[in-house]
């Protein structure tokens, strides 16, 4: 199920939420004042002509502050509109003029001066309102009694009810007096949209707006617009860029309801949604729900690109604004981090999608641009080596940093991964060892000047000519490595020769079906010892088997055989096939189900994992005896390694045991013939002698058809 982020009206915008508003039932505009003041609203609107500023003749009333409040003007209970109430705070500006010659005028002057000071002040205050598609100017006449007239003091306020406005728009208000004694006051605000429940229920234009549910669904984001099936509306997704106008990304005219899926990689902080009913003069509302989404901020940096515009200019391109800073760095040929060229070329704030100039004289493949977040603790975000394409790959050059000080003094250092090494220096770095030669190259003009300023300069000095001096050491190291390698090969050859002389280790595993089969296994083991092969079989280790137990004995023998590069031979008989089938069906048989000396039953717990995990090829081979068991009767899991039928396939069987690199005995043919005759005789006697099969095992030629 989708996890809702928030359920909100499509009118969600940047303005504050409106929960309840005062309702006005008066259809006409009105004005009222603070206590002690008298005011009057002129009928009709006036012309919006501020005029020029005139000198102040004496104390006058001027507006000092504008304050707005949203109210609802309602014609009926559900037929209301947004209205802006404006309060203009007034103060006394200017002083009374003093007479030029008080002694000459005497008492008459005092009487004339006292009369205007006892008079009230009047002012005509203009309010200008603009909010698309409305433009109005109203005139308020205010009178202040003489008792409240104090120069420089506030006298109160006058309130106008009210300017009707459209939802979601921007309003601008100006206030000044006629005549105008100072610069007009102005105020710009964003009007709310259909967000509060009371507003949405009271304004009919809000009824047609769709509801929007923004939710996550796995890695995607779903925009669900819940509107009626017949309602048509426009939907626009755009990037609200700080620089320039919004950049459209996706526009459609749709019929509701609709569900639009956005991939999480498309989210950026400035991605906004605008929806409006497809009706004349409809309200367009916008939301930008991804401003604080961490995924959107990560996607923004992934989408940002550094682009070279010309040999000396570049630009950071991104769909939204980034608080980032950029700087140049030097990328050495041997790898490692790119080293910033500070303090000579410090980090600078960068503006998205705005061209910038490089403070350089020449370009170089090793010069790169880094961009990171403004916060100093943030790691590097972008890096681009612009000149690597036009000037070729990175060069084995060293960057010399020249720092200039007052009185014509300067210092030089070579930029290296460990820092900037002063020249000359006794440090154990490459630049320090070649310090004198680098200084001579700089003086002789062999270094390329990349940047020059009053603070210093940057020089790129080639190191190619010093490379051949190290070839002797390289050749000496190669010769030493070749000699060591040759010695190791000789030691390995002697080790292989010694191992060949001893014979390859071979471990025989079988199921002791009866005494006749054990004699057949003994004949095979004795014959293999003549090849030579070092054969281990439980027939010859009864005492160790009883002392250690079948599982411990087999585990030790298997580990030793495989460590020496030997081979484990699985001799399949009808009883062995039955045991394997039991293990494949139930890998944990009951204890005591088999004989105390049955190493085959104990070994299956170690053998099966090698086959199940694909480690058996090259380490195991299978074998069965003619007429006793057909190779196809061996379970499919064990046929992933070669399975030989003896004695008919004896030569191939012996070759697999000795390995591809083993020396073949000169009389191998005679040995094979002797072993074959011995096995055939033992096999014949096995069928001629009556046998009693053990519990759960089936013997006889007919068992070869069972799986």
């Amino acid at each position: 199920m989708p996890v809702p982020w928030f359920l909100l009206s499509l009118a969600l915008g940047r303005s504050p939420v409106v929960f309840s508003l005062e309702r006005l039932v008066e259809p006409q505009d009105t004005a009222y004042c603070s206590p002690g003041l008298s005011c009057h609203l002129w009928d009709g609107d006036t012309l919006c002509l501020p005029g020029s500023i005139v000198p102040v003749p004496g104390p006058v009333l001027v507006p000092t502050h504008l304050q707005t409040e949203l109210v609802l003007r309602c014609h009926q209970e559900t037929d209301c509109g947004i209205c802006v109430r404006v309060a203009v705070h007034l103060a006394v500006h200017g002083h009374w003029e003093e007479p030029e010659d008080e002694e000459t005028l005497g008492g008459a002057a005092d009487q004339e001066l006292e009369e205007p000071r006892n008079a009230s002040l009047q002012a005509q205050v203009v309010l200008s309102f603009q909010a698309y598609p409305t433009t109005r100017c109203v005139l308020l006449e205010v009178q202040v009694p003489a008792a409240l007239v104090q120069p420089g003091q506030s006298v109160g306020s006058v309130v106008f009810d009210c300017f009707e406005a459209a939802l979601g728009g921007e309003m601008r208000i100006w206030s000044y007096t006629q005549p105008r004694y100072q610069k007009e006051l102005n105020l710009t605000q964003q009007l709310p949209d259909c967000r509060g429940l009371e507003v949405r229920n009271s304004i009919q234009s809000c009824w047609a707006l769709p509801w929007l549910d923004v939710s996550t669904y796995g890695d995607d984001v779903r925009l669900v617009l819940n509107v009626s099936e017949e309602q048509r509306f426009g939907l626009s997704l755009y990037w609200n860029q700080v620089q320039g106008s919004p950049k459209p990304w996706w526009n459609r005219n749709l019929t509701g309801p609709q569900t639009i899926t956005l991939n999480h990689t498309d989210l950026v902080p400035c991605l906004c949604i605008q929806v409006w009913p497809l009706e004349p003069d409809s309200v367009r509302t916008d939301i930008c729900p991804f401003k604080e989404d961490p995924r959107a901020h990560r996607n923004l940096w992934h989408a940002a690109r550094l682009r070279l515009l010309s040999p000396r200019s570049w630009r950071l391109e991104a769909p939204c604004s980034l608080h980032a800073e950029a700087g140049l760095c030097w990328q050495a040929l041997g790898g490692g981090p790119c080293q910033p060229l500070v303090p000579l070329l410090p980090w600078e704030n960068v503006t998205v999608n705005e061209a910038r100039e490089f403070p350089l004289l020449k370009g170089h493949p090793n010069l790169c641009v880094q961009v990171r977040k403004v916060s100093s603790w943030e790691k590097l975000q972008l890096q681009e080596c612009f000149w690597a394409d036009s000037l070729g790959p990175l060069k084995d050059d060293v960057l010399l940093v020249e720092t200039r000080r007052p009185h014509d003094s300067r210092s030089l250092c070579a930029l290296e991964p460990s820092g900037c090494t002063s020249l000359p220096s006794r440090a154990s770095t490459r630049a320090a060892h070649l310090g004198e030669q680098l200084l001579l190259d700089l003086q002789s003009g062999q270094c390329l000047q990349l940047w020059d300023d009053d603070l210093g300069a940057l020089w790129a000095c080639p190191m190619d000519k010093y490379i051949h001096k190290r070839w002797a050491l390289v050749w000496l190291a190669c010769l030493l490595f070749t000699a060591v390698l040759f010695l190791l090969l000789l030691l390995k050859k002697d080790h292989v020769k010694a191992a060949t002389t001893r014979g390859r280790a071979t471990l025989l595993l079988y199921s002791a079906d009866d005494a006749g089969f054990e004699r057949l296994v003994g004949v095979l083991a004795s014959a293999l010892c003549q090849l030579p092969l070092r054969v281990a079989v439980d027939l010859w280790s009864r005492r160790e088997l009883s002392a250690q137990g079948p599982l411990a004995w087999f585990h030790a023998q298997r580990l030793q055989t495989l460590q020496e590069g030997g081979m484990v031979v699985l001799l399949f008989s009808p009883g062995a096939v039955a045991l394997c089938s039991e293990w494949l069906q139930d890998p944990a048989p009951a204890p005591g189900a088999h004989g105390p000396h049955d190493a085959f039953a104990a070994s299956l717990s170690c053998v099966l994992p090698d086959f199940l995990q694909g480690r058996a090829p090259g380490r195991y081979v299978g074998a069965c005896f003619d007429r006793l068991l057909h190779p196809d009767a061996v379970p499919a899991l064990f046929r992933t390694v070669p399975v030989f039928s003896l004695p008919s396939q004896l030569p191939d069987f012996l070759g697999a045991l000795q390995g591809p690199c083993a020396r073949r005995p000169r009389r191998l043919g005679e040995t094979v013939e002797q072993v074959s005759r011995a096995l055939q005789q033992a096999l014949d006697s096995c069928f001629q002698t009556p046998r009693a099969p053990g519990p759960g095992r089936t013997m006889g030629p007919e068992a070869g058809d069972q799986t």
Side-chain angles (χ1 to χ4, degrees):
M1 293 292 293
V3 181
W5 289 354
F6 37 69
L7 187 64
L8 67 167
S9 74
L10 189 62
L12 180 61
R14 298 178 59 183
S15 56
V17 176
V18 179
F19 294 102
S20 66
L21 296 178
E22 179 183 345
R23 292 171 174 261
L24 300 180
V25 296
E26 292 291 336
Q28 302 296 327
D29 297 338
T30 59
Y32 53 92
C33 314
S34 300
L37 305 184
S38 61
C39 55
H40 169 69
L41 174 64
W42 284 35
D43 295 335
D45 291 351
T46 186
L47 295 177
C48 302
L49 298 174
S52 303
I53 298 178
V54 299
V56 178
V60 294
L61 289 179
V62 294
T64 59
H65 179 61
L66 290 176
Q67 189 174 358
T68 61
E69 180 184 359
L70 295 179
V71 296
L72 290 176
R73 172 170 283 175
C74 301
H75 305 285
Q76 295 180 4
E77 182 67 22
T78 59
D79 185 12
C80 302
I82 288 290
C83 210
V84 181
R85 173 183 291 165
V86 183
V88 184
H89 295 265
L90 302 172
V92 178
H93 178 63
H95 300 274
W96 298 108
E97 294 184 0
E98 298 293 337
E100 296 181 0
D101 192 353
E102 297 184 4
E103 296 181 358
T104 304
L105 297 177
D110 294 339
Q111 185 176 0
E112 293 177 0
L113 183 61
E114 193 67 24
E115 291 180 359
R117 291 187 177 182
N118 293 330
S120 61
L121 287 181
Q122 290 186 351
Q124 291 184 340
V125 180
V126 178
L127 282 178
S128 175
F129 179 85
Q130 288 185 5
Y132 179 82
T134 303
T135 300
R136 292 186 60 193
C137 284
V138 297
L139 181 63
L140 303 171
E141 191 171 278
V142 184
Q143 185 171 359
V144 180
L148 297 179
V149 177
Q150 297 292 332
Q153 297 296 318
S154 174
V155 297
S157 62
V158 57
V159 179
F160 172 75
D161 273 343
C162 56
F163 294 112
E164 295 185 5
L167 290 167
E170 184 181 72
M171 69 173 182
R172 296 182 179 182
I173 302 175
W174 291 268
S175 179
Y176 51 90
T177 58
Q178 288 184 346
R180 188 160 64 98
Y181 301 113
Q182 63 181 16
K183 185 178 180 181
E184 65 268 18
L185 295 179
N186 65 84
L187 178 66
T188 301
Q189 286 184 344
Q190 187 75 24
L191 290 170
D193 40 33
C194 303
R195 298 171 67 181
L197 294 176
E198 184 176 347
V199 174
R200 184 167 56 253
N201 294 334
S202 303
I203 301 177
Q204 295 182 1
S205 61
C206 292
W207 299 352
L209 290 176
W211 281 75
L212 175 68
D213 176 23
V214 182
S215 61
T216 59
Y217 194 87
D219 287 339
D220 298 330
V221 173
R222 288 186 174 180
L223 310 178
V224 181
L225 291 101
N226 186 14
V227 296
S228 63
E229 294 183 359
E230 302 299 328
Q231 183 178 349
R232 300 181 68 247
F233 59 92
L235 175 65
S236 174
L237 302 179
Y238 64 92
W239 293 323
N240 188 24
Q241 297 175 326
V242 176
Q243 298 86 15
S245 58
K247 184 177 180 181
W249 181 47
W250 190 86
N251 293 279
R252 291 290 187 278
N253 290 336
L254 304 171
T255 301
Q258 290 285 339
T259 299
I260 300 169
T261 302
L262 301 177
N263 193 290
H264 72 96
T265 57
D266 296 329
L267 304 184
V268 290
C270 64
L271 179 62
C272 300
I273 309 165
Q274 184 183 78
V275 177
W276 65 96
L278 293 178
E279 301 173 356
D281 299 327
S282 61
V283 178
R284 294 198 176 202
T285 53
D286 301 80
I287 63 171
C288 302
F290 310 112
K291 291 181 180 179
E292 306 300 329
D293 193 325
R295 295 180 302 174
H297 285 273
R298 289 194 297 268
N299 292 339
L300 177 58
W301 279 102
H302 292 160
R305 294 292 182 270
L306 291 170
R307 186 178 301 277
L308 182 67
L309 302 179
S310 68
R312 295 190 60 184
S313 64
W314 62 281
R315 180 173 61 207
L316 173 62
E317 297 180 349
C320 309
S321 60
L322 286 169
H323 297 289
E325 54 186 6
L328 286 171
C329 64
W330 179 264
Q331 181 65 62
L333 178 62
C338 195
Q339 297 172 280
L341 304 181
V342 292
L344 293 181
L345 297 174
W347 293 91
E348 296 182 355
N349 292 332
V350 59
T351 303
V352 171
N353 301 325
E354 184 178 285
R356 297 182 65 86
E357 294 287 334
F358 290 111
L360 298 172
L361 299 176
K362 297 287 180 95
H364 193 279
N366 298 41
L367 282 175
C368 306
V369 175
Q370 290 180 335
V371 177
R372 67 182 185 185
K373 292 183 180 179
V374 172
S375 302
S376 59
W377 54 269
E378 291 286 357
K379 64 180 181 180
L380 178 68
Q381 299 292 333
L382 293 174
Q383 179 176 311
E384 190 72 33
C385 300
F386 289 124
W387 294 277
D389 295 334
S390 59
L391 300 181
L394 298 179
K395 296 182 178 180
D396 190 16
D397 291 0
V398 64
L399 186 70
L400 298 187
V401 180
E402 178 183 349
T403 304
R404 295 169 182 167
R405 299 184 179 88
H407 308 294
D408 296 333
S409 63
R410 67 173 188 171
S411 62
L412 281 169
C413 66
L415 195 62
E416 296 185 285
S418 59
C420 207
T421 305
S422 300
L423 297 182
S425 173
R426 295 183 179 179
S428 57
T429 63
R430 186 177 71 159
H433 294 158
L434 302 174
E436 296 294 338
Q437 292 90 332
L438 291 175
L439 293 177
L440 292 176
D441 292 344
L442 179 62
Q443 295 174 2
S444 60
Q446 299 183 38
C447 298
L448 177 66
Q449 188 176 30
L450 305 178
W451 176 77
D452 189 23
D453 191 86
D454 294 338
L455 299 177
L458 298 176
W459 307 81
C461 298
M463 300 288 287
D464 297 338
K465 61 182 179 180
Y466 302 110
I467 298 299
H468 70 278
K469 297 181 179 179
R470 300 195 297 267
W471 278 112
L473 294 177
V474 174
W475 280 110
L476 182 60
C478 291
L479 292 175
L480 181 61
F481 175 76
T482 304
V484 172
L485 183 61
F486 182 71
L487 179 61
L488 291 177
L489 290 176
L490 289 178
L491 293 176
K492 184 177 180 180
K493 182 178 179 181
D494 293 340
H495 176 73
V496 171
K497 183 177 180 181
T500 303
T501 304
R502 293 175 56 200
R504 193 180 189 189
T506 303
L507 174 62
L508 298 183
L509 295 179
Y510 67 97
S511 175
D513 291 0
D514 56 20
F517 189 79
E518 285 189 336
R519 286 195 299 272
L520 188 60
V521 173
V523 172
L524 176 63
S526 300
L528 293 179
C529 291
Q530 302 175 13
L531 285 180
L533 289 172
R534 291 185 292 112
V535 180
V537 64
D538 63 347
L539 284 173
W540 301 341
S541 305
R542 292 296 192 190
R543 183 176 299 176
E544 297 178 6
L545 196 68
S546 299
Q548 300 178 14
L551 182 60
W553 180 85
F554 165 72
H555 181 72
Q557 294 296 328
R558 170 186 168 276
L559 182 62
Q560 180 179 356
T561 300
L562 295 181
Q563 285 180 346
E564 295 179 359
M567 187 73 70
V568 178
V569 179
L570 302 179
L571 292 176
F572 287 99
S573 64
V577 170
L579 277 174
C580 292
S581 300
E582 291 178 16
W583 270 87
L584 292 175
Q585 295 175 4
D586 183 7
H594 308 290
H597 303 297
D598 198 343
F600 187 83
S603 67
L604 286 179
S605 61
C606 295
V607 170
L608 281 177
D610 288 343
F611 280 87
L612 293 173
Q613 298 175 13
R615 299 195 304 263
R619 308 166 77 183
Y620 291 80
V621 295
C624 59
F625 294 101
D626 297 339
R627 295 186 295 161
L628 188 61
L629 185 73
H630 194 276
D632 293 340
V634 176
L637 177 64
F638 296 96
R639 292 203 302 271
T640 56
V641 300
V643 178
F644 302 97
S645 183
L646 305 179
S648 60
Q649 295 180 325
L650 184 61
D652 295 334
F653 174 69
L654 297 180
L657 293 184
Q658 290 181 312
C661 299
R663 293 183 178 181
R664 299 290 185 265
R666 297 178 181 178
R667 303 178 65 183
L668 178 61
E670 297 179 6
T671 304
V672 170
E673 186 176 353
Q674 294 174 3
V675 174
S676 180
R677 283 198 303 268
L679 287 178
Q680 191 63 51
Q681 293 175 2
L683 192 59
D684 292 341
S685 64
C686 183
F687 282 103
Q688 294 172 3
T689 304
R691 292 159 284 138
R697 305 182 187 180
T698 303
M699 295 294 294
E702 67 277 5
D705 298 331
Q706 298 180 5
T707 57

